[in-house]
Amino acid sequence: MAGNIKVVVCKSSDEVAQKAAGMFIEQVRNKPTSVLGFATGSTPEKTYAEIAKLSKAEKVSFAKTISFNLDEYWGLDGDHDQSYRFFMNDKLFKSIDIRPWNAHVLNGKAKFPEVECRAYEDQILSVGGVDLWVLGIGNNGHIAFNEPGSPVDSRTRLVSLTQSTIDANSDGRFFKDPAEVPRCALSTGIGTIRDARRLVLLATGAKKADAIAKAVDGAFTPDVPASLLQDHPDCTFILDADAASKLKK
Ligand code: PGA
């Protein structure tokens, strides 16, 4: 292994979700005022369902937590059904007691993107930084919308999506047609993500195996944005067997 990344391999995507949700529940139980980081995409959906279930069953309240999401499509309103604000409200926020004004998602319709991005960074700083941030990974190794080539010290900004990401997000799960996918997004940077005290990256399925192997066992390089987590002091990858299948033994 090239860096400090801890790898946990699970038997199924259900087990990935249980482990990841368990980390969030423990985090909030131990520190009710936790600052949490969330991600969108197919991978964390089960984790969010599990967090909602455990929060009720174990009476762990999110009322004092604050959250920040990784990214948002540029040009989409929060009530567009493919916006990440809509996704988060639907998959998680409506099912836990986090206060809506504490659940931050970048505004894809902001008039001045630079101002929106700077304010987002300031908000994260003003609450003391993120305690635990969950991430997904793209087939091309991206984290958030930090596509290959994104600098290690990048901050929240307006970015362009690669064709591989546009295709991955219009394969029938989200957008029906690549032409509908916004070409740009507001995304937290690699530096923003690396500032979180604890990171957990989730990946399931064979399509992610190459990106995972490069991120964990390959070089520390902006060509594989997730590899830039290798020197993070507390970063865990929770994988199913397929996503882990190309890792060095
Ligand atoms: P996915 O996306 O969970 O839908 O595979 C992950 C990502 O692109 O970060």
Side-chain angles (χ1 to χ4, degrees), residues 123-224:
Q123 278 175 314
I124 295 175
L125 269 183
S126 73
V127 296
V130 175
D131 291 302
L132 173 62
W133 208 327
V134 64
L135 311 170
I137 183 170
N139 302 339
N140 63 0
H142 75 202
I143 48 175
F145 277 127
N146 294 286
E147 301 286 23
S150 301
V152 65
D153 58 355
S154 46
R155 311 305 308 189
T156 306
R157 67 212 184 287
L158 182 65
V159 295
S160 300
L161 274 50
T162 60
Q163 193 59 44
S164 125
T165 297
I166 291 167
D167 294 343
N169 290 357
S170 55
D171 64 357
R173 293 173 307 157
F174 299 117
F175 294 92
K176 305 233 164 6
D177 183 336
E180 292 170 20
V181 183
R183 269 32 191 177
C184 294
L186 299 180
S187 179
T188 53
I190 310 250
T192 323
I193 294 168
R194 282 166 50 96
D195 283 348
R197 283 182 276 286
R198 206 148 56 110
L199 293 171
V200 56
L201 182 148
L202 312 181
T204 57
K207 276 190 191 164
K208 302 288 171 72
D210 281 322
I212 290 293
K214 285 183 193 156
V216 175
D217 294 321
F220 181 92
T221 169
D223 297 343
V224 182

Side-chain angles (χ1 to χ4, degrees), residues 26-230:
E26 272 315 296
Q27 173 68 41
V28 177
R29 201 197 313 273
N30 293 335
K31 182 182 174 192
T33 58
S34 290
V35 180
L36 306 172
F38 293 124
T40 50
S42 303
T43 314
E45 276 192 47
K46 281 185 181 176
T47 299
Y48 295 154
E50 195 64 23
I51 288 175
K53 197 173 97 189
L54 288 174
S55 151
K56 281 191 188 70
E58 301 187 16
K59 299 197 170 31
V60 174
S61 170
F62 284 67
K64 293 183 180 160
T65 64
I66 295 173
S67 75
F68 292 91
N69 258 78
L70 287 172
D71 44 21
E72 178 60 284
Y73 285 115
W74 178 238
L76 294 196
D77 223 314
D79 51 19
H80 187 289
D81 65 3
Q82 291 303 329
S83 75
Y84 288 163
R85 161 60 77 186
F86 187 95
F87 177 103
M88 289 308 300
N89 287 346
D90 187 45
K91 304 295 179 196
L92 184 63
F93 298 151
K94 72 174 190 201
S95 308
I96 58 175
D97 60 350
I98 192 166
R99 303 301 187 226
W101 55 89
N102 284 331
H104 302 280
V105 181
L106 284 151
N107 176 5
K109 292 284 266 189
K111 200 162 169 198
F112 301 108
E114 298 82 4
V115 174
E116 173 71 8
C117 292
R118 176 72 65 87
Y120 204 68
E121 291 276 341
D122 287 348
Q123 278 175 314
I124 295 175
L125 269 183
S126 73
V127 296
V130 175
D131 291 302
L132 173 62
W133 208 327
V134 64
L135 311 170
I137 183 170
N139 302 339
N140 63 0
H142 75 202
I143 48 175
F145 277 127
N146 294 286
E147 301 286 23
S150 301
V152 65
D153 58 355
S154 46
R155 311 305 308 189
T156 306
R157 67 212 184 287
L158 182 65
V159 295
S160 300
L161 274 50
T162 60
Q163 193 59 44
S164 125
T165 297
I166 291 167
D167 294 343
N169 290 357
S170 55
D171 64 357
R173 293 173 307 157
F174 299 117
F175 294 92
K176 305 233 164 6
D177 183 336
E180 292 170 20
V181 183
R183 269 32 191 177
C184 294
L186 299 180
S187 179
T188 53
I190 310 250
T192 323
I193 294 168
R194 282 166 50 96
D195 283 348
R197 283 182 276 286
R198 206 148 56 110
L199 293 171
V200 56
L201 182 148
L202 312 181
T204 57
K207 276 190 191 164
K208 302 288 171 72
D210 281 322
I212 290 293
K214 285 183 193 156
V216 175
D217 294 321
F220 181 92
T221 169
D223 297 343
V224 182
S227 74
L228 301 175
L229 306 177
Q230 284 174 3

